[in-house]
Amino acid sequence: DIKGFAFDLDGVIADTARFHGEAWHQTADEVGTTWTPELAEGLKGISRMASLQMILDAGDHADDFSQADKEALAEKKNHNYQQLISTLTEDDILPGMKDFIQSAKAAGYTMSVASASKNAPMILDHLGLTKYFVGIVDPATLTKGKPDPEIFVRAAEVLHLNPENVIGLEDSAAGIVSINGADETSLAIGNADVLSGADLNFESTSEVTLANIEAKMQ
Ligand code: G6P
Ligand code: MG
């Protein structure tokens, strides 16, 4: 029996994955790593410092930057990202997600947020959605980021539910691995070839409804 939902934020609730991509693209240009669709896809769901490391590794630049350089690059990316999201409003909720969150709440499901982003609480406030969630996992308290299961294990604990009673929603390959590792039901939003490890696949957020989920769980 499903009793709750653990949501990723960027690319699931908020149309912000493209802004992370834009800001990381600038970083890649700055350090001399070629920006590719594969790199962009692989960065989804990955924590800030691990994302930077992936960009440096992709260009074989891992040894060219000191720890202080890396912290400055990550700080600059976050600054650029925060500029890009500074005007976020309710209109930046992805199609259908506000309806889905409201109907899930009305139907008695509990919901938590499992985002790697330290900007998540601020974004949820801008979108007017904070009140729907019983809690947000603080990524600063994690020992390992996605694809490790820890964040989705913690998201179920926030809900006071066993993992088998939770559906995790994700737009990233790393996130689907994390949900599956936490023994929850994984619901992927996006290209089913990229997200082939998921239990349930949806092309876009507008298709995510309680009725469609029930139909796919049969
Ligand atoms: C999410 C996004 C990633 C981002 C990570 C850290 O998982 O999908 O693209 O790198 O959060 O976000 P932050 O806002 O803390 O830099
Ligand atoms: Mg995401």
Side-chain angles (χ1 to χ4, degrees):
D1 259 32
I2 298 303
K3 295 177 181 162
F5 295 97
F7 288 77
D8 175 45
L9 175 68
D10 300 300
V12 168
I13 297 174
D15 192 9
T16 43
R18 63 203 172 96
F19 295 136
H20 278 294
E22 224 176 283
W24 282 130
H25 190 164
Q26 285 183 43
T27 307
D29 288 350
E30 189 176 336
V31 301
T33 293
T34 308
W35 187 251
T36 63
E38 293 72 30
L39 180 57
E41 197 59 46
L43 290 174
K44 286 184 183 168
I46 305 299
S47 75
R48 195 180 305 167
M49 289 311 285
S51 293
L52 175 63
Q53 196 59 49
M54 277 178 69
I55 290 169
L56 295 178
D57 291 345
D60 236 352
H61 300 303
D63 302 327
D64 304 353
F65 296 89
S66 67
Q67 188 57 28
D69 291 340
K70 290 181 193 176
E71 274 157 27
L73 284 165
E75 175 65 38
K76 186 169 173 188
K77 180 270 174 178
N78 190 51
H79 178 80
N80 291 338
Y81 175 68
Q82 287 184 336
Q83 293 286 116
L84 292 169
I85 62 167
S86 62
T87 58
L88 278 192
T89 67
E90 269 201 48
D91 295 338
D92 299 289
I93 298 173
L94 282 161
M97 286 316 273
K98 179 140 192 196
D99 280 350
F100 176 66
I101 289 165
Q102 284 178 327
S103 60
K105 176 141 181 152
Y109 295 95
T110 53
M111 293 172 278
S112 61
V113 174
S115 169
S117 175
K118 293 175 177 164
N119 293 295
M122 188 249 296
I123 291 173
L124 285 168
D125 267 351
H126 277 284
L127 302 181
L129 294 176
T130 306
K131 64 180 178 200
Y132 294 102
F133 298 96
V134 297
I136 302 171
V137 177
D138 178 0
T141 64
L142 300 172
T143 59
K144 285 184 180 163
K146 301 169 188 177
D148 190 273
E150 186 178 12
I151 189 167
F152 277 97
V153 169
R154 293 271 301 283
E157 287 170 5
V158 165
L159 297 172
H160 301 291
L161 292 176
N162 293 323
E164 68 257 32
N165 301 125
V166 175
I167 289 180
L169 295 88
E170 265 287 351
D171 69 320
S172 72
I176 293 297
V177 173
S178 176
I179 297 168
N180 291 344
D183 290 325
E184 296 162 11
T185 298
S186 52
L187 186 162
I189 299 163
N191 187 327
D193 295 329
V194 177
L195 305 169
S196 56
D199 297 312
L200 312 171
N201 281 93
F202 288 84
E203 275 290 313
S204 73
T205 53
S206 51
E207 289 161 27
V208 180
T209 63
L210 289 172
N212 285 347
I213 290 172
E214 275 161 29
K216 280 189 197 273
M217 301 254 322
Q218 301 295 315

